[in-house]
């Protein structure tokens, strides 16, 4: 699409009230003006004027077949713009407007086709940004706006980003400083009975769920991770010119001030475990390519460790964008687009960017970061856990930008028969159903494994011969190599989920380690926590008590293996999800 530099773009500084009025007047007269919001900058025109809206697409350099969001300053404007406000739309409006959310509703006749790209729905958004709201009010009309970036650039989070992309192509830019959130709004389709999140943002699924939960008709109804019918999806998303590798850090690590005068050994160790993956990755890149320039988008702990290492050659290859403390996902989200723009301009060969696990703002952050990391920027629909199916394909490890490990610990009494069988069955399932990747991004691999230990176990004993035979009969594989091990405290820390054979073992563990609450379950309590009920042949609720068949006949042994196998197959998708992984598709 042809772009023509026809404007001497007006730049309105934050305290220039006169300039703000001039810019608003221009919008009334059918011109395009960029304005700040708490998420990203928008490129606005009078939403009721189709000709004005067309100018947005000319400035952005993309065809007008992607629907635009309509921005308002007062909720009373909504009635005129939509033909229906469903109860769930009303609940979202009440709870989250003004704020970083866009609610999709059926449009009214007043909205021209240029805004909605021919759809019969429209996205309405009321930003939470005082200068923005003053500007919109001065415009006096609903303002249609996409993000104010050039097609193919990341969304702008400062007026200078907009200036870089739009100078000369639009009437004016209102400078409102750096956008607080830094990621685009949550887009929620509220035309149906239940809301569907089309694009994650700072209003998280959990926050929406919470609001709807208080209305009994919606309890648990939120659909997340659905393949969205969002027309914008076919557009290339921003990806820097270079490769982006994601290095996921564990959330919940306490913030360490790396510049504290006397760092205790404990803190040094934490700092090292948090920051060293970046340094190691940089070193390995330099090994292959000694002239590489490496961009690092990370917390100040990482910069500090690089400084402490005192390796001047390494440092001379690194180009840092420090967003704040490593574990501060809000700071990372705020800085993400700015950081990617800046590092891209430094012409680095690769960017190592911090990844986060978590289901709050982490979801929106990882959504944008994964798109930046995906070479073709295509949207990858996330798979629901219950779609995990028989897999077994091989994925070359270098497909992944990074790999995390996660594990289950099976606790029994002596870790001989039952421990061996549970660990063996689970390991087999991982092998058969894998490979796995992170729930947040298919660019992050997940290496899953199982361990077992016994509360009263002797070390190094193999299972009963009869158990080994039964295991082979049922599964065709062997557990004869399994050696029992005693439960040690480090095992409780190093495993993500702990499953015990019976309820008593849960109580025993919680008595000594109350901090394990939420991470330790018996097989039956885990099943119940997922709302699953096992039924026997006659439809009765089956008991999940697992007994060691020792002393029984062959059939008792086989029965135990077969029952555990059936249960684990049912629980497997839930366990995978709890480990933060999904089947790689
Ligand atoms: O935070 C934001 O939402 C920013 C600021 C400026 O408000 N705006 C923004 O606009 O990000 P844009 O055009 O870059 O993204 C709007 C997204 C697109 O993915 C589009 O497809 C979707 O919202 N969208 C808009 N109207 C829609 C509709 N009626 N149905 C489905 N998706 C819609
Ligand atoms: Mg955009």
């Amino acid at each position: 699409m042809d772009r023509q530099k026809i404007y001497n773009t007006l730049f309105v500084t934050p305290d220039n009230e006169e300039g703000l009025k001039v810019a608003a007047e221009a919008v009334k007269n059918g011109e395009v003006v960029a304005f700040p919001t708490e998420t990203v900058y928008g490129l606005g025109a009078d939403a009721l004027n189709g000709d004005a809206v067309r100018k947005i697409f000319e400035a952005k350099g993309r065809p007008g077949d992607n629907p635009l969001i309509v921005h308002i300053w007062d909720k009373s404007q909504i009635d005129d713009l939509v033909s229906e406000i469903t109860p769930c739309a009303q609940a979202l409006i009440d709870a989250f407007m003004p704020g970083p959310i866009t609610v999709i509703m059926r449009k009214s006749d007043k909205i021209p086709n240029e805004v909605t790209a021919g759809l019969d729905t429209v996205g309405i958004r009321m930003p939470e940004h005082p200068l923005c709201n003053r500007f919109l009010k001065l415009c006096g009309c609903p303002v249609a706006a996409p993000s104010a970036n050039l097609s193919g650039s990341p969304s702008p989070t400062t007026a200078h980003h907009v200036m870089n992309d739009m100078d000369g192509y639009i009437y004016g830019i209102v400078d409102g400083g750096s956008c607080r959130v830094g990621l685009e709004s949550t887009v929620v389709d509220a035309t149906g009975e239940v809301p569907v999140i089309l694009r994650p943002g700072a209003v998280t699924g959990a926050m929406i769920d919470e609001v709807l939960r208080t209305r009994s008709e919606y309890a648990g109804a939120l659909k997340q991770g659905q393949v969205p019918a969002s027309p914008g999806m076919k557009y290339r998303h921003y990806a820097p010119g270079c490769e982006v590798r994601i290095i996921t850090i564990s959330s919940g690590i306490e913030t360490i001030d790396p510049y504290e005068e006397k760092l205790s050994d404990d803190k040094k160790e934490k700092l090292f475990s948090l920051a060293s993956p970046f340094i190691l990755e940089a070193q390995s890149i330099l090994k292959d390519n000694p002239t590489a320039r490496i961009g690092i988008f990370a917390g100040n702990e990482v910069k500090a460790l690089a400084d402490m290492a005192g390796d001047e050659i390494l440092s001379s290859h690194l180009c840092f964008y420090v967003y704040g403390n490593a574990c501060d996902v809000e700071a990372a989200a705020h800085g993400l687009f700015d950081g990617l723009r800046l590092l891209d301009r430094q012409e680095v060969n690769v960017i190592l960017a911090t990844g986060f696990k978590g289901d709050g703002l982490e979801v929106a952050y990882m959504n944008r970061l994964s798109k930046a990391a995906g070479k073709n920027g295509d949207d990858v629909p996330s798979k629901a856990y219950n779609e995990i199916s028989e897999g077994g394909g091989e994925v070359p490890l270098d497909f992944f930008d990074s790999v995390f490990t996660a594990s289950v610990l099976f606790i029994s009494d002596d870790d001989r028969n039952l421990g061996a069988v549970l660990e063996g069955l689970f390991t087999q399932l991982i092998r058969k159903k894998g490979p796995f990747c992170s729930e947040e991004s298919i660019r992050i691999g997940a290496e899953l494994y199982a361990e077992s230990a016994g509360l009263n176990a002797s070390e190094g004993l193999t299972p009963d011969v009869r158990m080994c035979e039964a295991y082979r009969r049922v599964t065709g594989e062997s557990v004869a190599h399994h050696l029992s091990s005693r439960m040690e405290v480090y095992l409780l820390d190093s495993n993500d989920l702990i499953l015990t054979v019976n309820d008593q073992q849960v109580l025993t563990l919680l008595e000594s380690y109350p901090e394990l609450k939420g991470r330790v379950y018996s097989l039956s309590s885990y099943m119940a926590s997922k709302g699953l009920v096992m039924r026997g042949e006659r439809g009765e609720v089956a008991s999940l008590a697992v007994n060691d068949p020792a002393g029984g006949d062959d059939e008792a042994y086989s029965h135990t293996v077969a029952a555990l196998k059936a249960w684990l197959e049912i629980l497997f998708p839930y366990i995978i999800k709890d480990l933060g992984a999904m089947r790689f598709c």
Side-chain angles (χ1 to χ4, degrees):
M1 189 167 235
D2 276 354
R3 287 179 94 213
Q4 287 190 14
K5 219 169 183 159
I6 49 174
Y7 292 97
N8 180 8
T9 300
L10 169 73
F11 192 89
V12 181
T13 50
D15 45 8
N16 180 356
E17 276 303 316
E18 262 327 292
L20 197 67
K21 283 183 195 148
V22 174
E25 200 61 35
V27 171
K28 275 188 197 163
N29 292 330
E31 294 291 353
V32 175
V33 171
F35 62 96
T37 79
E38 79 278 35
T39 58
V40 301
Y41 277 73
L43 202 54
D46 179 351
L48 305 181
N49 176 346
D51 292 336
V53 172
R54 264 198 296 275
K55 288 188 188 167
I56 295 176
F57 295 106
E58 281 162 28
K60 242 180 116 79
R62 87 176 181 204
D65 57 354
N66 194 24
L68 303 182
I69 294 170
V70 174
H71 297 72
I72 56 172
W73 69 89
D74 196 298
K75 291 183 192 177
S76 66
Q77 294 173 272
I78 298 175
D79 271 345
D80 247 11
L81 304 173
V82 305
S83 61
E84 185 193 10
I85 304 180
T86 60
C88 91
Q90 190 62 53
L92 296 173
I93 291 166
D94 293 345
F96 300 114
M97 281 192 193
I101 191 168
T102 297
V103 179
I104 309 237
M105 292 171 268
R106 302 237 166 266
K107 81 178 190 84
S108 76
D109 297 340
K110 289 209 172 127
I111 308 270
N113 273 334
E114 282 84 354
V115 172
T116 60
L119 296 177
D120 62 354
T121 54
V122 63
I124 305 286
R125 161 151 154 72
M126 180 174 169
E128 186 182 29
H129 187 293
L131 179 61
C132 169
N133 292 25
R134 253 200 343 272
F135 171 68
L136 293 173
K137 199 168 179 179
L138 284 171
C139 291
C141 54
V143 171
S147 50
N149 52 297
L150 188 56
S151 194
S153 285
S155 294
T157 54
T158 70
H160 292 278
H161 295 161
V162 182
M163 197 70 171
N164 280 335
D165 285 9
M166 293 295 158
D167 188 23
Y169 298 103
I170 57 175
Y171 182 90
I173 300 171
V174 175
D175 181 1
S178 138
C179 302
R180 177 176 62 82
V181 176
L183 304 177
E184 306 88 339
S185 64
T186 308
V187 176
V188 189
D189 183 342
T191 55
E193 265 176 47
V194 294
V196 179
I197 295 181
L198 300 185
R199 179 175 75 183
V203 172
T204 64
M207 288 160 71
I208 294 176
D209 222 8
E210 183 65 38
V211 164
L212 298 182
R213 206 186 300 279
T214 58
R215 305 183 171 222
S216 57
E217 67 267 36
Y218 295 127
L222 172 69
K223 292 187 190 164
Q224 257 196 87
Q226 300 259 318
V227 182
S230 192
M233 294 304 183
K234 70 173 186 248
Y235 286 97
R236 250 187 71 98
H237 282 280
Y238 165 71
C242 66
E243 182 190 352
V244 178
R245 295 189 194 175
I246 300 171
I247 296 184
T248 302
I249 63 174
S250 331
S251 46
I253 300 183
E254 64 173 299
T255 299
I256 305 154
D257 175 5
Y259 300 107
E260 203 173 284
E261 228 162 78
K262 273 211 171 69
L263 217 51
S264 65
D265 284 351
D266 178 46
K267 284 190 178 165
K268 265 189 207 154
E269 202 179 307
K270 280 188 182 141
L271 177 68
F272 187 79
S273 74
L274 179 75
S276 61
F278 291 83
I279 309 299
L280 295 174
E281 188 70 22
Q283 282 167 337
S284 108
I285 291 168
L286 282 174
K287 228 185 191 163
D288 294 337
N289 175 6
T291 63
R293 284 168 52 74
I294 301 163
I296 299 188
F297 180 80
N300 57 45
E301 289 92 330
V302 179
K303 173 82 169 71
L305 188 70
D307 292 346
M308 280 175 199
D311 179 341
E312 284 177 17
I313 297 183
L314 174 70
S315 293
S316 71
H317 288 270
L318 303 182
C319 181
F320 273 96
Y321 184 102
V322 173
Y323 55 72
N325 288 326
C327 301
D328 186 346
V329 64
E330 283 182 23
H334 174 80
L336 181 65
F337 291 147
D338 188 39
L340 290 174
R341 273 180 188 254
L342 188 121
L343 292 172
D344 206 11
R345 264 220 311 274
Q346 306 288 314
E347 299 193 346
V348 293
N349 302 84
V350 49
I351 295 174
L352 307 181
T354 304
F356 292 94
K357 280 183 176 185
D359 52 15
L361 183 61
E362 293 90 348
V363 176
Y365 173 85
M366 291 308 290
N367 171 273
R368 307 309 193 280
L369 179 58
S370 316
K371 282 177 181 164
K375 280 292 149 279
N376 58 11
D378 285 345
D379 285 270
V380 179
S382 64
K383 273 208 154 191
Y385 59 85
N386 54 7
E387 287 175 46
I388 292 181
S389 58
E390 206 78 8
E394 283 286 315
V395 179
L397 264 189
D398 62 5
F399 171 85
F400 296 116
D401 294 316
S402 60
V403 176
F404 76 90
T405 57
S407 55
V408 192
L409 175 66
F410 290 104
I411 296 276
S412 58
D413 204 33
D414 62 3
D415 192 36
R416 289 190 68 190
N417 291 340
L418 295 177
V421 170
L422 286 165
E423 184 186 309
L425 287 169
F426 199 78
T427 307
Q428 197 177 3
L429 279 169
I430 291 171
R431 198 175 59 242
K432 278 200 172 158
K433 306 232 178 211
F436 300 96
C437 62
S438 158
E439 258 192 314
E440 282 122 38
S441 163
I442 64 154
R443 306 284 314 183
I444 306 172
E447 261 179 305
L448 308 181
Y449 63 95
E451 289 190 282
S452 70
L455 293 179
N456 302 305
S458 314
E459 288 283 331
L461 302 180
T462 51
D464 280 6
V465 178
R466 297 177 72 181
M467 192 82 224
C468 295
E469 285 169 1
Y471 191 83
R472 186 171 289 288
R473 274 197 302 279
V474 176
T475 70
E477 300 198 356
S478 167
V479 282
H481 57 274
H482 183 270
L483 297 178
S484 61
S485 48
R486 223 184 146 73
M487 208 284 293
E488 301 276 0
V489 180
Y490 82 89
L491 285 173
L492 301 175
D493 290 335
S494 65
N495 282 279
D496 304 270
L497 178 65
I498 301 161
L499 294 175
T500 70
V501 162
N502 63 42
D503 292 334
Q504 183 53 47
Q505 289 150 349
V506 176
L507 297 177
T508 307
L509 280 171
L510 287 180
E511 215 167 280
S512 308
Y513 313 101
E515 69 277 12
L516 290 181
K517 203 164 177 1
R519 215 150 51 84
V520 55
Y521 298 89
S522 65
L523 285 171
S524 67
S525 69
Y526 185 75
M527 198 166 240
S529 79
K530 303 297 174 194
L532 299 171
V533 184
M534 278 293 267
R535 293 197 184 275
E537 279 159 19
R538 293 177 303 280
E540 80 283 9
V541 175
S543 142
L544 271 171
V546 187
N547 295 315
D548 194 321
D553 56 13
D554 281 351
E555 203 191 324
Y557 278 93
S558 295
H559 179 78
T560 301
V561 179
L564 287 176
K565 181 165 180 280
W567 291 343
L568 278 187
E569 276 169 4
I570 292 168
L571 294 180
F572 189 74
Y574 296 90
I575 297 176
I576 297 304
K577 191 171 162 56
D578 281 347
L579 297 181
M582 64 175 194
R583 208 188 93 66
F584 179 89
C585 46

